[in-house]
């Protein structure tokens, strides 16, 4: 089996995390997984949704979008269509759930952090890149809250990262790009914490069903890949 | 550990599949997983979405809804809100993908089968009950197509069924009802074929992350439960 | 003249009212007029619309929907279309007005009762079946309010019921099913109180205009039919 | 009983029908029932809705709107709210049904006539004024079609007119203005043909239910009033 | 060059301003620029948008619409389409900005004045006619506020008026009607105060770009035309 | 007068045009006017809007958006709000009109070029930066059409560029950034061709009205600035 990308089965694409990518947001990161490029911002606002008012607890929520020509064929702009599609809603719900697992929301006070992930160039894996980049933007936002006194200390964050794995021509492979994803039999997105636990595991058989053995092989590949992502996050945050 | 429902960890709720539940649809099934009750219909229409026109291939798509008072507190009707929520879209995409795996779409000719799953009473597990019931409705619809000559033979169907499993107070348990689901640490929805392969595996850590060992234990429970569902489907279809 | 249904001109279909049909709602009734089947729930919530705040008065409002395949041909789901059609809005306004006539709203305190009528199988007369069934669900909801102390006593309810009548091949007939309704010259929906007064009278000439004499003949038929419905409601509530 | 307007119980307001009120539409009428003023236009377009294509038959459809400050308090503009309310949809469906009864649609060829009724000043009875005015605009549109050869002859039109009646302080009264309508016990809208038949009868008990005797008294008043409207229409069309 | 309208290059159409055109609004003006006819109302409501609450300052906002058959071909009703088009939003933003320049908003107290401009017949120049008529309606609304004591004195109003100019067959012309506008090379809308300053200048090259010289020639024409409009406004307000 | 930016009155910000910024679009340019950064893509698709079918002529249309946190305070995402605001529609209409002036649409054949301008960081002047950058992306798209044979030769393009000017503390200044724009008395956006003609001139008095003299001074500043932009475009295209 030779991957369209020419990479080894367990080889990730080049990953880059650029902090302070735009100037207004409390946290702003450009994350690149090869040719997939996503701007992730974390914005802090006072107040929480109605169901949390008076609880002293904060909230983290996420929105996701793609520029119309982030893809090979231009997609219609969701703002002009008048609604977000099912895929968009599914992805932003996943990002929000994943990042809420990163922080003890009680330590935020009644503040909301909005995560915005906007794909400016897509080549597969946009949701996992988004989660990985947004976690770094979240840390920057928490630090800025601490700096201006909105919280007393930066809450302990359990770092979160995500990668996709799949079965390509019968072989488990790591970090699918778009041509690989389109041709894969199975696509599995994995979100983990830096303590080694799973936050989300979402596998879909695109063609043939997959076996428990294949699932375990994919999870091992994902675990290894995500460990590299944690290293990249730490390095970026150390600058 | 004692489950709120009093069931053993590996014990499913009573499952009932009532065919020909309403009279107009080509397939119409009331599926009950304990107190969860869903009407699943399969409707056949000539024609396919634009991207399939001229290919000779058919299509299966799904929609999901809840009656406003299917739940403990009344939810706002999506039709009057003017849009379907993210949870609804996520579930109906899952149902559609799962059922498309049941049939070789090429054998349908240029026909579309609409699956509608409407929850009339909810007590946890509505999406897995929907998939399990809809697969029976789909078979009835295919038989009706054969009967009126729209297709030459009923295509070989790979039966599909689904169940939820979770970690409740540290113990893997099968088929969570609403009180269990609300209190579970992890929630995993599993869709399988009667050949034993996975179609979808979607696990979410609600509180603590889960380990590979816990994942495997849940998948084993799910596999056993789904086998019982296949038996129930066959029995219903044999009537 | 022989009706498609074979019924006598003044003969209603079999009417069934099943209380406590679903478990969550304060009132929940399955109403059947022959093959027309509607789930009617009454849900109690504290608070009233803005225009009633501070008046001490309650409110009753209604929503109506059909499952996509309640009908012979599948209709598009209103939630996915993004709006309720004119027919739906017209019917739910009629149901709401009718039920508000049943109770002195001042006796409710600042509570709102939501009536939801969802047609699971349609065969003509869904709006009149909805009103008839919803009135029973309303009584159950009022009793539950009394039970949990939200109101001191169950307000005196003027029972409300409704039936359709029409001119079929020149002859006034009672309780049209779908084939009769489609072929009728005139369709008249009548809502009455158990004191014998009219709440709503809505007649439409589908083909030929109708005369005052025909109108009176239809109203007499309707009055007789509605009296039978009051008997069925009382019997159901007596269980 | 003295009506707020000071009119006798069977006295209509001053009715005016001004043809060619605006210059672009094939038919354009300003109809005034006292202080109620509605611009009714009839616009002819080639083609019919999908369900009529190829049948050789035409179609008539109606839309209704109010200028935001046609009323005592400004109402939000439906175009900026993003949807038409239930009252609007109910009224425009009534107007459309009524006018389709005026003409044998087969004589139109595959053409659609759009009726637009826009209330510029409201003082009760806007829907009945709209129907009365729109029927005149419809005749003008048919004449213009004949003139430019789109149809061979102006189809025989059954004139349609409409009026509201009500029970005010126990007395049946004709043609309610807004203060009367707000205080009436019952409100009944009646649409008739110039042959004396009913097209629509829609009565609603606002406060106390109404009796068959009251209904008949109101229908008699309405019949007399509508006859005056037919005279006014004929006079306008004779100019 | 001969204009389609036969007017001289610097000749405006007949302008008419009819106050108290409808009875409910605090200010109500029918403005006519030749065959262009717009109903402009000014409605006063207590309260201001959220961003002004507590500031003691008032607000003026505008909405614009066209009756579907105000134009040569019927346009789809925006209320039934479910949204206002870009042209509509652009025009109503222009009207609002222009009128806010007429009054010192601080003198209004926390009140909002809604300007509604509804075109009942269109023949070019609807936006400039709207601004010119709405300013008169605004003055009437302010006077009514004074009369009922909502404000102590009528704030000094800087009268605002607007006209379109263009380049038609190479020649600058004043006040384009629809046939002229459709054939013009450039279209320029100018809003001025009666002190001689510009509030808005919006020029668009429809065909060939325009030069600074042409721009100045058009602005001179506009200034002369607007002075005539100020005279017409004063005359109307003097009645 | 000292500008908040410290620039001279006639001094523009640093302008950068980066071609091939993303990989999928036929034309893709990152344009920077100081801290204002916009991604402009030009996408070519076969076919034209309905009103041009069969004419052999092409079309250019534009859409504009801002990332939610492109600004100092996070704005709600238009896709999740369900509609584009008036400002967005106004800007994208301006961009589309301006670029359609750049090319003779007849030379495009029946192809549509979609211009997407997405602001990733805003600091004033986003619409003028968008037009300036999009014109370069358009040229690249035309060249790519030529390359793959969709058109025989690259049509002669009239380059288009745009800048904002204003009156700040009584002094005309060039290229306002956000703090300057917020405090300016007047804001004027100017779009020109490289032949020196005006395509659009849009001036708004934010505080005091402006005089013809001020207008002319601003236009002169704008003309000088736009000439620098043409130089930057040419240099970028020469690479």
């Amino acid at each position: 089996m030779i991957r369209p990308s020419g990479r080894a089965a367990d080889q990730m694409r080049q990953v880059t995390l650029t902090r302070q990518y735009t100037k207004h947001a409390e946290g702003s990161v450009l994350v690149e997984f090869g040719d997939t490029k996503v701007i992730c911002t974390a914005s802090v606002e006072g107040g929480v949704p109605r169901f949390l008012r008076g609880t002293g607890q904060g909230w983290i929520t996420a929105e996701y979008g793609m520029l119309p020509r982030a893809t090979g064929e231009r997609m219609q702009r969701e703002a002009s269509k008048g609604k977000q599609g099912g895929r968009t809603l599914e992805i932003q719900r996943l990002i929000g759930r994943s990042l809420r697992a990163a922080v003890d929301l009680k330590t935020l006070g009644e503040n909301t952090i909005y995560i915005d992930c906007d794909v400016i160039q897509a080549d597969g894996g946009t949701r996992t890149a988004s989660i990985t980049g947004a976690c770094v933007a979240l840390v920057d936002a928490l630090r800025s809250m601490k700096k201006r006194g909105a919280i007393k200390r930066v809450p302990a964050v359990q770092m979160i990262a995500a990668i996709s794995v799949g079965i390509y021509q019968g072989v488990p492979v790591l970090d699918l790009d778009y041509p690989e994803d389109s041709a894969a039999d199975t696509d599995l997105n994995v979100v983990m914490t830096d303590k080694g636990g799973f936050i989300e595991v979402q596998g879909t058989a695109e063609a043939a069903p997959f076996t428990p053995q294949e699932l375990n092989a994919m999870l091992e590949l994902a675990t290894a890949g995500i460990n590299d992502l944690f290293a990249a996050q730490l390095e970026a945050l150390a600058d």
Side-chain angles (χ1 to χ4, degrees), chain A:
Chain A
M1 188 264 335
I2 295 180
R3 299 174 67 165
S5 60
R7 283 183 278 141
D10 62 351
Q11 189 184 348
M12 291 201 0
R13 290 176 285 182
Q14 174 76 28
V15 170
T16 315
L17 292 156
T18 308
R19 286 163 66 206
Q20 289 155 351
Y21 186 68
T22 56
K23 75 172 187 177
H24 297 299
E26 284 76 22
S28 173
V29 169
L30 175 73
V31 57
E32 298 169 80
F33 279 26
D35 275 348
T36 288
K37 302 183 184 195
V38 187
I39 301 177
C40 307
T41 59
S43 302
V44 184
E45 288 187 19
V48 282
R50 184 185 305 264
F51 69 94
L52 287 176
R53 279 182 208 152
T55 63
Q57 182 182 325
W59 189 242
I60 297 173
T61 187
E63 289 190 349
Y64 170 93
M66 296 182 96
L67 298 201
R69 197 55 196 282
T71 45
E73 310 227 330
R74 185 180 183 271
M75 295 172 312
Q76 203 192 335
R77 189 178 289 267
E78 290 185 325
S80 74
K81 248 198 293 197
K83 64 175 179 178
Q84 296 176 295
R87 178 184 171 277
T88 296
L89 291 171
E90 199 173 300
I91 292 176
Q92 68 190 22
R93 285 160 57 90
L94 170 66
I95 300 171
R97 278 199 311 272
S98 298
L99 290 179
R100 283 193 292 277
V103 187
D104 180 356
L105 298 172
K106 285 184 200 114
T107 62
L108 291 182
E110 291 203 6
N111 294 293
T112 296
I113 301 180
Y114 291 90
I115 302 294
D116 286 289
C117 298
D118 286 273
V119 179
I120 60 176
Q121 189 172 280
D123 188 33
T126 64
R127 78 189 70 190
T128 50
S130 294
I131 291 168
T132 305
C135 190
V136 174
L138 174 63
V139 171
D140 273 337
L142 293 169
R143 289 177 180 174
S144 89
M145 289 174 78
K146 166 76 168 49
K147 211 167 185 177
R148 66 176 172 84
I151 48 177
K152 289 210 182 119
R153 46 180 199 77
V154 174
V157 172
Q158 190 173 227
M159 291 303 288
I160 301 290
I163 198 76
S164 76
V165 282
I167 307 286
Y168 181 81
Q169 295 189 352
V171 181
V173 294
L174 180 65
D175 186 24
L176 289 74
D177 59 26
Y178 182 73
E180 293 167 350
D181 188 32
S182 308
D185 298 326
T186 291
D187 179 27
L188 178 76
N189 291 291
V190 182
V191 187
M192 296 184 77
T193 74
D194 55 1
K195 308 285 183 299
F198 294 120
I199 293 294
E200 292 270 345
V201 171
Q202 296 197 343
T204 298
E206 303 284 350
F210 53 98
T211 64
Q213 291 71 35
E214 287 173 322
L215 178 58
N216 282 328
M218 289 189 285
L219 291 172
E220 269 173 45
L221 267 185
T223 304
I226 287 176
N227 280 337
D228 289 351
L229 293 174
F230 288 131
Q233 287 177 330
L234 280 183
E235 194 185 308
L237 284 166
D239 289 349

